[in-house]
Amino acid sequence: MRLRFSKMHGLGNDFVMIDAISQKVRLSPEKVRKLADRRFGVGCDQVLIVEEPSNPDVDFRYRIYNADGSEVENCGNGARCFATFVRERKLTGKSSIKVETSAGIMELHVTNNDDVRVDMGAPILTPDQIPFIAPAQAPCYPITLGSETFTISAVSMGNPHGVLLVDSAANAEVERLGPLLEVHSSFPNKANIGFMEVLSRSEINLRVFERGAGETLACGTGACAAVVAGRLRDLLDSSVTVNLPGGSLIIEWAGGASSVVMTGPTAQVFQGQVKI
Ligand SMILES: N[C@H](CCC[C@H](N)C(=O)O)C(=O)O
């Protein structure tokens, strides 16, 4: 199968974006892994597919695959790149675009300075909906790894996240703890693991070990989950600058059932064709 694609990124979290409206796309998990491979394929953290919507009330369907071939519910940086992609390809002229993922419906707003503002919906905090195994909902939970015990927050932005508070994101033990917590038995569907350093009530440093992709230069849903976790622990105010290794996002959350809103840049690096 020969596929046209666009190589994009949101703060270095990179994507192979494929228009499945103008071309027939059938991707097995094996083909996704091959596409995402940085030696034998194009190379990316996630493969994103643009489809015709099944729901008449939305503009597009948006499928998300991690580099390991797993299909997942949400991708924040990918949503921003999606908005840029469909407008540049003239698949829509709208600046407010409704997209449907397996996690539900998101509204993407393209601002006039090329940043994209995404309504990421309300965070999900009920343990069995995250899913996270706990007797009751709490701002944070004890979690054990062998002889070590950590305090972790559990938040879903459609996809599951665990968030740890650390003194320094730069010195956090991401390589050691990320892979172990990603598959911890408390997260039945595995989880993206964020390492959050609080600089002030309006700024954090964050690194994320992503489910199915490893540590990425940025994670949109991870930034949202970290701000929610920080607010639940009364460490952050409602508008936060989240500094990730690849750059910064603005995350806003008024609390409760209100939406988390993410604003940040997107970039298209090149377009190409690949035989897969
Ligand atoms: N690895 C994530 C999906 C991509 C999330 C991230 N790239 C973002 O920008 O939100 C998961 O398995 O839930």
Side-chain angles (χ1 to χ4, degrees), residues 14-214:
D14 64 339
F15 311 110
V16 169
M17 185 80 76
I18 296 171
D19 166 0
I21 297 173
S22 65
Q23 54 186 345
K24 198 159 176 51
V25 180
R26 282 179 322 286
L27 285 183
S28 63
E30 186 200 354
K31 286 190 186 304
V32 170
R33 285 191 290 272
K34 189 156 179 231
L35 256 181
D37 190 293
R38 295 190 186 282
R39 293 282 184 283
F40 298 100
V42 178
C44 63
D45 293 325
Q46 279 89 28
V47 175
L48 307 180
I49 310 287
V50 181
E51 295 181 343
E52 292 284 5
S54 52
N55 174 341
D57 298 334
V58 305
D59 300 297
F60 299 99
R61 176 91 168 83
Y62 156 43
R63 282 191 197 282
I64 304 141
Y65 298 90
N66 280 323
D68 68 356
S70 58
E71 182 171 5
V72 292
E73 310 89 342
N74 203 354
C75 175
N77 286 317
R80 298 200 316 279
C81 290
F82 187 103
T84 303
F85 178 79
V86 293
R87 280 166 52 87
E88 287 187 356
R89 292 289 179 97
K90 306 277 185 275
L91 294 173
T92 181
K94 293 181 179 179
S95 55
S96 282
I97 305 160
K98 280 193 176 180
V99 295
E100 178 193 17
T101 73
S102 58
I105 293 173
M106 274 195 291
E107 190 141 15
L108 317 178
H109 305 275
V110 182
T111 58
N112 50 20
N113 60 356
D114 286 340
D115 270 353
V116 179
R117 184 179 168 80
V118 183
D119 177 328
M120 296 292 287
I124 298 161
L125 302 170
T126 312
D128 62 4
Q129 292 175 11
I130 292 174
F132 179 74
I133 295 173
Q137 180 177 326
C140 52
Y141 308 87
I143 193 167
T144 56
L145 267 182
S147 59
E148 297 177 277
T149 299
F150 299 91
T151 299
I152 197 163
S153 295
V155 178
S156 169
M157 292 306 301
N159 57 347
H161 290 264
V163 182
L164 295 170
L165 266 185
V166 294
D167 296 334
S168 158
N171 300 327
E173 291 187 272
V174 178
E175 295 78 10
R176 179 174 78 90
L177 296 175
L180 295 173
L181 290 171
E182 176 198 3
V183 297
H184 194 280
S185 56
S186 296
F187 290 104
N189 293 352
K190 301 196 278 186
N192 303 281
I193 306 299
F195 298 79
M196 169 169 68
E197 173 190 355
V198 177
L199 300 175
S200 73
R201 293 189 65 86
S202 60
E203 188 174 10
I204 64 173
N205 290 338
L206 180 71
R207 291 169 66 187
V208 182
F209 187 92
E210 284 198 29
R211 177 180 63 170

Side-chain angles (χ1 to χ4, degrees), residues 226-238:
V227 170
V228 169
R231 286 197 43 72
L232 291 175
R233 298 174 71 165
D234 194 20
L235 300 170
L236 298 174
D237 291 337
S238 57

